[in-house]
Amino acid sequence: MDYFEGLNEPQRQAVQHLEGPLMIVAGAGSGKTRVLTTRIAHLIHEGVDPFHILALTFTNKAAREMKERVENILGSTEARNLYIGTFHSVFARILRIEGPQLGYPSNFTIYDTDDSKSLLKTIIQEQNLDDKHYKPSLVYNRISAAKNSLIGPLDYAEDPQVQQEDSRSGRPATGNLYGLYAKRCFRNGAMDFDDLLYQMYLLLKKVPAVLHKYQHKFRYILIDEFQDTNPAQYEIIRMLGAVYENICVVGDDAQSIYSFRGATIQNILQFRKDYEDTLVVKLEQNYRSTKSILHAANEVITHNKTQIEKALWTENGEGEKIRLVRTMTDNEEGRSVADSITELRLRHHFANRDFAILYRTNAQSRSFEENLRRMNIPYRIYGGISFYQRKEIKDFLGYLRLIVNSRDEESLRRIINFPPRGIGKTTMEKLTLMANDRDIPLFEAMKEAGSAGIRGGTLEAIGKFILMIRSLQTQLERQNAYEVAMQVFRSTGLIKELVHDKSVEGVARYENMEELLNSIKEFTETPTGDGELLDKSLGSYLQQITLLTDADQEGEDADTVKLMTIHAAKGLEFPCVFVGGLEEALFPNAMATGTREGLEEERRLFYVAITRAKTRLSLSYANTRYHFGNLQQNDPSRFLEEIPEKYLQKNFTTAYPGRFHPGRAPLGPEALVPLKPASGGQRSAPGAPAARGSDRAFAPDDPSLMEAGNEVEHQKFGYGRILRIEGAAGSRMATILFPEAGGEKRILLGYARLRLLKSGTPAGAGPAGPSPGSCPEGGSSNP
DNA sequence: TCGGAAATGTTTTTT
DNA sequence: ACATTTCCGA
């Protein structure tokens, strides 16, 4: 039982508590995953059959990691039989088996958000409602929220409060749309993301036999990221665990950042009410971050009113101060981060994979991306559009989905005229009318196109299309996913469509198709099926991929800088973390600042961002930023004021153009730190390094001129004196004393951008701004 | 029915 | 700034 080795007391307590409800309040970086995996190992070691253990996570990645770590302790033979997965994927698997008891086909289609919105748009238009007012995404959000709170279409229509909300927003028909949408999904043999929870709930509630089956199958239940569960998830867990009550939940209220998805911290309180004999264990020792980082995070979170009492501490060292960087533009922010990465790599031998750049919104990735590319720093962006959401991929998947489930109207609409085969809008309208009239799937309606008044060439084209789909369907039983996919690729004319397009995007699309086909091939050739039967059918493949996200793509361990939203970074850690865009309206985001709850969630998000960092953290904000194509001015984020000065080191590499006059004293820190100018509450520490004159672009001098004893100026470290120089001509390393930047720094002269102070004052530093050519980076201005 | 041009919305976060 | 949607003529 050497797996107990190295656990601290509360961790050991959590691992050893095998029977009965357990709540682990796990602060950031407190070894939560280790406790969970060790606990699973311990359960099995104590004789619990792995088949009886269910572990639910929020991301596939977390599930995979957990499984791997249990395997490392126990070996893969036992661990293979564990049921570990995301809520959505585990429930999808169960629904695939039990779904027919609710009237769904076992090969039901999973609609992603785009599919759902598209179907809603169709329905809104069919109801003769204005889709400008009844925006599909708004309606979708309402329906999603309802399902996550276990409110069905009927409850929705009867709930006076809900009804009032909809009338007040001018969308009283929302409830009606919900009903139609639910019916339509059912008719299409499809479930959306929320259905995977809601239908699972209905299944357990309506079919006692199924409930009993899984209650006895899952005798030990573990829930990760419990603070992110919504009422639907809570209720499912409660029902599944009702017999044995061996429910272990792990969470941290300070990291609850998914309320927009229906998650509620209430679940934490409810849990303790529902299970009075719950053992509560707090993990408060942080093993991840330096003192500076952890203490800053602790300070920030105290500004929230609602939180569970806990005190995170660490034995780790003080570490570097948190760097605070202000730039003039978003592009400069990107450049500053790219510069810092290069510098840290060279001076401290960090690898690319040690860096993460985090931001509030996906749109912010751009400036970072451009600058990393310019500096030849390999990077990978997570989030944004996932591979499977690309148009060409979805088109192809549309065929596959239709073949597997011909009731799926969304897929049918997507591909019916792609490539063009002369079946247009008018025809589809006629068919839709008939389908709705008889309440039959669209594909069935097509079979009787003649009686919908469709004649001639169009009728013929429909006949041909149906024949093609049918003949592909006959392949399903005999052939695996890859074989069917290849057949589809060849026989549908998609291959011609793609080969035809010789544009840059066209070639990229072709390559994406190749990648998709390769992934299908890989799927059919991989022997293990996630503990399940070796089902290599197309249906099995499709079931999986809809629930994959961008983070699940391979290339995990590649040596790249990682870019992602803070949401996507939850659960991860990096030696060096950059958090960008710390500006009012962006972070905290304007959408959230209206309510206390909203603002506090933003603050928790900031807390999550800070606590991702192990040793180095850099925060940045830009004075101006492009938003919808026009320049916006932003104040620094209020969150920056919540970090005590003593943890901060301010590095303002960019001053206002034209304000600096050589020869005069450098601008005082106050002038450069316009944090809430009115309140005047924010002041730089007296010894903080002042920004240097970089109004005109900072023009470094030829490094070969540098000698020991010279006085130099560095853009970030200020004035310094070269103490000594070592190394050959190509790689001379200088040790320079920068009194204002905290002491000696070792700098590679070939890389460093230093100015020789005695070489005179450069001319042309007038108010006109940077003189052309003086900036080696090109001063990249946005036209 | 189809293709290109004009207009319009998008960005808060995700399974 | 960009992508998607809508509009319009062939």
Side-chain angles (χ1 to χ4, degrees), chain A residues 520-544:
Chain A
I520 300 178
K521 191 168 188 188
E522 198 189 319
F523 167 79
T524 56
E525 285 171 357
T526 311
T528 63
D530 201 20
E532 217 184 335
L533 304 166
L534 300 182
D535 183 353
K536 298 302 175 194
S537 71
L538 190 56
S540 170
Y541 171 77
L542 291 176
Q543 186 90 34
Q544 297 206 337

Side-chain angles (χ1 to χ4, degrees), chain A residues 93-389:
Chain A
R93 250 157 88 180
I94 294 176
L95 285 166
R96 209 165 177 229
I97 300 165
E98 316 289 351
Q101 309 205 45
L102 291 173
Y104 283 90
S106 69
N107 53 8
F108 65 88
T109 305
I110 299 174
Y111 279 171
D112 67 22
T113 312
D114 289 338
D115 299 323
S116 300
K117 286 179 185 169
S118 157
L119 175 58
L120 269 170
K121 192 172 177 185
T122 319
I123 294 173
I124 289 164
Q125 285 167 349
E126 282 171 16
Q127 293 303 109
N128 288 318
L129 294 167
D130 178 10
D131 63 10
K132 293 262 158 54
H133 182 59
Y134 280 91
K135 284 190 186 157
S137 53
L138 287 177
V139 180
Y140 175 79
N141 288 339
R142 290 292 287 171
I143 295 174
S144 172
K147 283 182 183 167
N148 287 328
S149 308
L150 300 175
I151 298 172
L154 293 178
D155 316 315
Y156 192 100
E158 284 167 10
D159 190 321
Q161 198 197 325
V162 169
Q163 288 306 310
Q164 205 187 2
E165 283 166 12
D166 280 341
S167 333
R168 206 174 297 162
S169 70
R171 279 177 281 271
T174 306
N176 187 32
L177 291 171
Y178 180 12
L180 291 168
Y181 170 75
K183 255 197 215 149
R184 197 69 161 263
C185 284
F186 186 77
R187 190 214 281 172
N188 291 351
M191 294 196 202
D192 65 17
F193 283 144
D194 304 311
D195 277 329
L196 295 177
L197 307 179
Y198 183 60
Q199 301 299 334
M200 178 74 195
Y201 160 78
L202 289 181
L203 177 72
L204 296 178
K205 204 175 139 193
K206 285 186 180 168
V207 192
V210 172
L211 176 63
H212 294 151
K213 175 176 165 187
Y214 289 99
Q215 277 176 334
H216 289 281
K217 176 164 174 54
F218 301 133
R219 298 180 190 187
Y220 293 85
I221 301 174
L222 297 93
I223 311 294
D224 193 17
E225 308 280 15
F226 186 63
Q227 76 282 353
D228 290 331
T229 53
N230 58 39
Q233 287 161 328
Y234 184 89
E235 193 54 25
I236 293 169
I237 297 162
R238 200 191 58 77
M239 286 197 281
L240 285 177
V243 174
Y244 292 89
E245 293 204 347
N246 293 322
I247 307 175
C248 163
V249 301
V250 188
D252 178 6
D253 61 305
Q255 295 184 65
S256 160
I257 53 174
Y258 279 106
S259 74
F260 69 94
R261 218 167 68 187
T264 164
I265 319 183
Q266 278 301 111
N267 284 350
I268 293 181
L269 308 173
Q270 190 61 41
F271 189 89
R272 292 204 242 187
K273 263 189 226 159
D274 283 353
Y275 309 93
E276 281 176 8
D277 54 336
T278 298
L279 173 71
V280 179
V281 176
K282 286 187 186 177
L283 306 182
E284 295 178 303
Q285 181 175 2
N286 173 295
Y287 294 96
R288 179 186 295 156
S289 309
T290 62
K291 281 200 175 69
S292 300
I293 292 167
L294 188 67
H295 293 167
N298 280 344
E299 284 286 342
V300 166
I301 204 67
T302 57
H303 289 80
N304 273 6
K305 274 194 177 156
T306 46
Q307 51 176 325
I308 292 177
E309 196 67 31
K310 85 177 101 45
L312 272 189
W313 57 278
T314 184
E315 285 176 354
N316 293 341
E318 206 69 41
E320 304 277 316
K321 286 186 176 184
I322 298 168
R323 291 219 292 184
L324 178 58
V325 176
R326 189 212 44 216
T327 59
M328 282 303 290
T329 67
D330 46 358
N331 186 52
E332 273 178 40
E333 181 184 45
R335 191 197 314 178
S336 136
V337 169
D339 283 347
S340 299
I341 288 174
T342 307
E343 181 195 325
L344 284 165
R345 269 194 330 195
L346 284 168
R347 294 181 55 216
H348 299 281
H349 303 289
F350 283 111
N352 291 317
R353 63 161 64 82
D354 294 331
F355 298 97
I357 304 173
L358 310 181
Y359 33 78
R360 178 68 239 269
T361 67
N362 281 305
Q364 285 167 257
S365 68
R366 203 193 170 102
S367 61
F368 297 112
E369 213 182 329
E370 281 170 359
N371 282 286
L372 291 171
R373 203 173 330 162
R374 207 170 42 78
M375 307 267 294
N376 286 322
I377 301 171
Y379 64 90
R380 167 134 152 60
I381 298 190
Y382 291 83
I385 338 107
S386 112
F387 178 74
Y388 297 102
Q389 303 200 50

Side-chain angles (χ1 to χ4, degrees), chain A residues 711-730:
Chain A
E711 281 186 4
V712 292
E713 183 188 346
H714 185 274
Q715 212 171 359
K716 290 174 186 134
F717 306 136
Y719 296 124
R721 180 192 300 277
I722 301 181
L723 298 179
R724 56 183 177 276
I725 292 179
E726 307 137 289

